[in-house]
Amino acid sequence: MKITLDADKCCGAGQCVLVAPEVFDQRDEDGIVVLLDAEPPAEQHDAVREAAAICPAAVIEVH
Amino acid sequence: MTISPTAPVGTAPAPLPVEPPTGCPFDPPTAFGALRTEEPISRIALPDGSWAWLATRYSDIRAILGDTRFSSDTTLHGYPLSGMTGGGNTQNRGFIRMDPPEHTRLRRMVTREFMVKRVEALRPEIQRITDELCDEMARGQGPVDLVEALALPVPSLVISLLLGVPYDDHEVFQRLTGTLLSRTVPDDEREAARVELRDYLDQLVTAKEADPGDDILGRLITEQQQTGEITHDEVAAFAALLLIAGHETTANMIGLSALTLMRDPESAARLRQDPGLIRGAVEELLRFHSIIRNGPRRVATADIEIDGHLIRAGEGVVAAVPSANRDESVFADADRLDICRPNAQHHVAFGYGIHQCLGQALARVELQVVIGTLLRRFPTLRPAVPVDEIPFRTDMAIYGCHALPVTW
């Protein structure tokens, strides 16, 4: 799995951080998404797909 | 896929359904079920005689709210303002009524204040506030009004603290918010409340300009206003938006959630046994109750096809969030509360798209703390009156209970 982000579209809802905290965080200065692990291990894959599904601004792409 | 013709001229559409089915105060209006199956994009009449599209399916509502060609700009021609609460359409309207790039610029000034780790750091303080209010409640014999004793003060105290608004003023802003969000007060009364709130916040911001504290309004003043990014009036608009959004919504979710769990002892017992279930349970309660009953609303800025239906540029749309969250094609057995529902977090109770609730992490923590604490501290909590005597807020843009007498 490889994750890419379009952080310009991020609205800082933080749902990805709640669902997959090992993979996503928010920048201290403005709350915008940060990718902690662009190629997370298998045990994170379900959580990442869930984060992508509920992201309100369709920022997260899973390849 | 066929494009539906424009609805026939001369047929008068019905107004937005708001009344729950008789005897089922937790369910959305019955009409939504049939609309989802038969006419998922239908027409509704607005109070001023104009009309708008009403979207009722989950997938359509996500498509509309996720597409910025559906504008939130209330000053655009065709925006379905009639029947909307929150006050008139002013120049200084707050970022939820704007589109990018202005919406993005303003929202990002406060996004960090509500990010997950900042809110998690507040959890002990929210717990302390909740414990104190529960102590106070426990000192009495009951019955008490749970709205007044707990549901309203917790979010109100928290948002006052975060913004740097004196909690001593809570009666003022709670009264004004109540008028602004009522669907039944006359327009002139709502306008008077808007002016009074504007004057109150104007004075508050002036006072904070002289002495900005270590709080959201203080930081907006020192980091954004004093550097010329925003004006005094824009700081006041932030204050109005965050103050109103920050307490009414969560307060009503607390009241409804507490009542639901009083009437569902099995779920309450499971939550008491396994407090780890509270996070998922709160998502399910958000889905189940969907307290936003009057929108969100948009205006199309282009001709856009949704689910085979053409919405033309300049036409207004009302998204029925309570209907989306009871859509059986997404949530199996959708009218049942299932605190362990695996996909509960797919709800759109906080909206969807770039305007999705900024304070959702805070709302979640407040609900987790208050509901969890209430179940633990008052295991025998029950309504003090028959449910049909509880005054439900069918007259408000945000559903809930006006009062909730409880005993234990």
Side-chain angles (χ1 to χ4, degrees):
Chain A
M1 174 182 279
K2 196 166 162 39
I3 306 166
T4 53
L5 295 180
D6 185 355
D8 283 350
K9 291 198 298 187
C10 177
C11 65
Q15 300 229 54
C16 55
V17 182
L18 291 176
V19 172
E22 316 269 304
V23 180
F24 302 102
D25 194 4
Q26 287 170 286
R27 285 200 300 243
D28 287 339
E29 60 272 28
D30 58 7
I32 297 309
V33 64
V34 185
L35 197 50
L36 300 176
D37 188 351
E39 294 182 37
E43 66 267 23
Q44 292 292 330
H45 290 184
D46 283 351
V48 170
R49 285 195 192 92
E50 177 74 356
I54 61 174
C55 171
V59 167
I60 303 164
E61 225 178 300
V62 177
H63 309 275
Chain B
M1 194 182 287
T2 54
I3 304 281
S4 314
T6 310
V9 178
T11 52
L16 177 70
V18 289
E19 290 290 335
T22 312
C24 305
F26 303 128
D27 285 349
T30 315
F32 288 150
L35 286 172
R36 278 196 304 273
T37 330
E38 289 154 27
E39 205 184 349
I41 309 278
S42 63
R43 298 216 302 176
I44 50 164
L46 300 179
D48 69 352
S50 63
W51 65 277
W53 297 111
L54 175 70
T56 45
R57 273 187 192 158
Y58 178 89
S59 55
D60 294 347
I61 286 175
R62 286 222 337 180
I64 291 163
L65 298 179
D67 185 338
T68 48
R69 293 176 301 166
F70 286 100
S71 169
S72 293
D73 184 345
T74 48
T75 66
L76 288 185
H77 177 72
Y79 188 94
L81 262 179
S82 173
M84 231 168 100
T85 55
N89 187 35
T90 60
Q91 278 313 102
N92 195 26
R93 60 194 190 278
F95 63 83
I96 62 167
R97 294 181 173 195
M98 295 177 184
D99 291 329
E102 207 43 20
H103 163 265
T104 316
R105 187 178 81 90
L106 294 170
R107 178 168 165 136
R108 285 193 175 189
M109 289 180 187
V110 283
T111 304
R112 64 173 173 170
E113 305 283 358
F114 297 96
M115 66 180 166
V116 172
K117 58 192 157 200
R118 286 282 273 272
V119 170
E120 277 301 329
L122 284 169
R123 191 182 283 268
E125 181 66 11
I126 296 169
Q127 184 68 60
R128 188 190 62 75
I129 289 171
T130 305
D131 288 343
E132 280 182 17
L133 290 162
C134 285
D135 290 345
E136 180 64 34
M137 228 173 98
R139 275 193 286 273
Q141 296 295 314
V144 300
D145 175 8
L146 194 69
V147 174
E148 207 175 301
L150 189 70
L152 202 45
V154 172
S156 202
L157 277 160
V158 172
I159 198 66
S160 302
L161 186 76
L162 292 181
L163 284 176
V165 173
Y167 183 69
D168 288 349
D169 295 348
H170 73 279
E171 278 176 17
V172 177
F173 58 74
Q174 279 168 9
R175 172 176 57 82
L176 295 173
T177 302
T179 307
L180 283 171
L181 294 177
S182 169
R183 295 187 308 105
T184 54
V185 301
D187 285 349
D188 57 342
E189 211 175 298
R190 190 180 299 131
E191 182 58 18
R194 193 187 62 76
V195 170
E196 195 182 337
L197 184 65
R198 187 198 61 198
D199 292 346
Y200 165 75
L201 293 170
D202 179 47
Q203 287 170 26
L204 177 77
V205 174
T206 303
K208 294 192 77 78
E209 281 162 356
D211 183 19
D214 183 20
D215 46 53
I216 296 178
L217 294 182
R219 283 189 284 279
L220 278 172
I221 288 165
T222 52
E223 294 172 26
Q224 310 291 348
Q225 188 190 342
Q226 289 175 0
T227 56
E229 289 292 316
I230 52 174
T231 62
H232 168 96
D233 285 351
E234 283 173 318
V235 177
F238 270 111
L241 173 60
L242 300 177
L243 200 54
I244 295 172
H247 73 276
E248 276 279 340
T249 45
T250 314
N252 283 295
M253 265 307 296
I254 292 171
L256 282 178
S257 302
L259 180 57
T260 323
L261 292 171
M262 286 182 242
R263 287 162 55 85
D264 182 356
E266 199 185 315
S267 296
R270 283 174 80 187
L271 283 168
R272 256 183 236 108
Q273 253 166 25
D274 185 355
L277 296 177
I278 192 71
R279 285 173 191 259
V282 162
E283 299 305 321
E284 174 68 348
L285 288 161
L286 286 160
R287 180 196 73 83
F288 189 73
H289 288 304
S290 309
I291 55 168
I292 304 297
R293 296 296 169 96
N294 205 27
R297 300 180 177 205
R298 299 288 186 265
V299 58
T301 60
D303 292 356
I304 302 163
E305 194 191 306
I306 295 290
D307 211 358
H309 193 102
L310 185 66
I311 296 174
R312 293 182 189 281
E315 291 177 346
V317 185
V318 175
V321 159
S323 174
N325 283 339
R326 298 292 186 102
D327 190 329
E328 291 279 344
S329 68
V330 180
F331 304 105
D333 202 2
D335 286 337
R336 196 171 69 85
L337 182 85
D338 172 5
I339 57 165
C340 294
R341 184 181 292 279
N343 69 342
Q345 205 176 334
H346 287 239
H347 68 73
V348 288
F350 289 122
Y352 188 74
I354 58 168
H355 289 274
Q356 194 180 60
C357 179
L358 173 69
Q360 57 183 284
L362 179 61
R364 286 183 163 110
V365 171
E366 288 177 342
L367 289 167
Q368 291 161 10
V369 169
V370 175
I371 305 296
T373 307
L374 203 54
L375 287 168
R376 201 170 60 240
R377 293 280 306 267
F378 299 92
T380 59
L381 195 73
R382 58 192 183 278
V385 298
V387 168
D388 58 9
E389 287 177 24
I390 295 170
F392 287 96
R393 294 167 44 112
T394 50
D395 55 330
M396 304 298 277
I398 298 169
Y399 193 62
C401 313
H402 281 296
L404 178 52
V406 294
T407 192
W408 57 89

